[in-house]
Amino acid sequence: MDETSSVPSAGERVSPVATLLRAPNPGPMTLDGTNSFVLRAPGAASCVVVDPGPDDAGHLARLAAAGPVELILVTHHHADHTEGVARFASMTDAPVRAIDPALCLGAPPLSDRERIKAAGLEIEVVATPGHTTDSVCFVLPGDEALGVKDAVVTGDTILGRGTTIISDPDGALGPYLASLERLRALGSEAHVLVLPGHGPALPDLATICDAYLAHRAERIEQIRAALAELGADASVVAVTDLVYADTDASVRSAAEASVRAQLRYLRGTA
C-alpha cells in the first residue's frame, strides 16, 4: 500500500463546508490515517463531526475544539472510524447517528434518502452497503453562485487512493456494485467532490466510480480464470495465492476477504 504521511496539526479545509482532521493511525489498511470531517455552513455556530475515528485523546480534543458539536455521524462500524465515538459523545454531549442502531447514542438510526438539517446545512443520507452492511455516504451542498460543486463523504466505500475491500461476511459484492452505480448516477450531471474515509479528496465522483467498477469487473474475470485453472471448488486460500500473488503480507487478510466476497458473488450465495 501507499506510504503514510505525517498527521496535520490543524484542520484542512477541503470544501466550503468541510474541514478534514486526520487521525494519527496510519497503516496498511488506513493509509495516512482515518479522515474525520468537521461540517458547518459558513457563519454557523455549531458543527457536525463525521467519523471521530480512533480513541485517541489528542485527536478527539482537536475535533471537540472545532465545536460546539451539534451531531456526530458515522459512515460504518469499523473500529478505525468508531472506536472514539463513545468518548467523543461524552466530551461534546452530542448525539450519535449511524445506520447500525448499536452505534447510535441519544438519537435514532439513519435512514436512506433522509435529509438532516444541522450546523446550517442540509445533509443527504445515501445508504451504500457493500464494504459493510451498514456503510453510508453523506452528500453535502455546494454553492451554485460561487461555482462550488457538491461533495460526498464516502467513508470506506470509496478511498482516496487504491480500492476498498469487501468485508466478507459483513459486506457483499453485489450490494457494493449497486452502491457504486448509485453513486455514479449521483455524480453524472455535475462534478461532485469525493471526501473519502482515508487518503486525499478526489475531484470527480462519477470518474472514480467508473474506475472502481472497471477494477471490480477485472477482478471478477481474474477470479473466473482462477477457478477455471484450479477447479470450481477451489479454496479461498488457493484463489488468493493465484490472483493476489504480489499482495503484501500486511494486507493478506483483506485480500482473502475480497476473494471470499467475489466467490460468493460468482457462486450465487451472496
Side-chain angles (χ1 to χ4, degrees), residues 11 21 42 48 64 68 80 90 98 103 119 125 139 143 150 155 174 204 214 236 261-262:
L21 282 82
V48 174
D80 57 311
S90 178
L103 293 172
V125 177
V139 181
D143 189 325
D150 292 350
D204 189 351
V236 169
Q262 290 168 102

Side-chain angles (χ1 to χ4, degrees), residues 170-219:
D170 178 42
L173 182 55
Y176 183 67
L177 295 176
S179 292
L180 289 178
E181 293 282 7
R182 185 178 183 191
L183 290 173
R184 180 169 64 175
L186 183 67
S188 64
E189 295 184 1
H191 291 302
V192 174
L193 182 69
V194 178
L195 304 180
H198 305 276
L202 300 171
D204 189 351
L205 176 62
T207 297
I208 194 64
C209 285
D210 283 339
Y212 265 50
L213 287 163
H215 170 76
R216 288 295 164 189
E218 180 181 7
R219 282 298 192 199

Side-chain angles (χ1 to χ4, degrees), residues 38-128:
V38 176
L39 312 178
R40 59 161 42 96
S46 64
C47 68
V48 174
V49 170
V50 180
D51 287 353
D55 191 7
D56 179 88
H59 179 64
L60 297 180
R62 286 196 296 139
L63 288 172
V69 180
E70 182 177 345
L71 177 66
I72 301 165
L73 296 174
V74 174
T75 61
H76 66 296
H77 68 270
H78 282 163
D80 57 311
H81 295 257
T82 63
E83 185 186 52
V85 164
R87 187 200 289 206
F88 189 63
S90 178
M91 291 169 62
T92 60
D93 292 323
V96 180
R97 300 192 66 193
I99 289 284
D100 185 352
L103 293 172
C104 297
L105 296 171
L110 297 167
S111 58
D112 187 32
R113 301 183 186 277
E114 177 183 357
R115 292 182 179 270
I116 299 168
K117 293 185 177 181
L121 301 171
E122 184 171 272
I123 302 167
E124 181 180 358
V125 177
V126 180
T128 51

Side-chain angles (χ1 to χ4, degrees), residues 230-255:
L230 299 170
D233 296 326
S235 69
V236 169
V237 171
V239 173
T240 305
D241 285 343
L242 186 59
V243 175
Y244 291 85
D246 297 329
T247 297
D248 189 273
S250 64
V251 293
R252 169 72 187 207
S253 62

Side-chain angles (χ1 to χ4, degrees), residues 5 34 36 86 92 122 131 136 146 148 153 164 241:
S5 64
T34 300
S36 299
T92 60
E122 184 171 272
H131 171 67
V136 66
L146 297 176
V148 176
V153 178
T164 195
D241 285 343

Side-chain angles (χ1 to χ4, degrees), residues 75 136-138 152-159 183 194-197 205:
T75 61
V136 66
C137 295
F138 302 109
V152 58
V153 178
T154 58
D156 286 1
T157 298
I158 293 175
L159 302 179
L183 290 173
V194 178
L195 304 180
L205 176 62

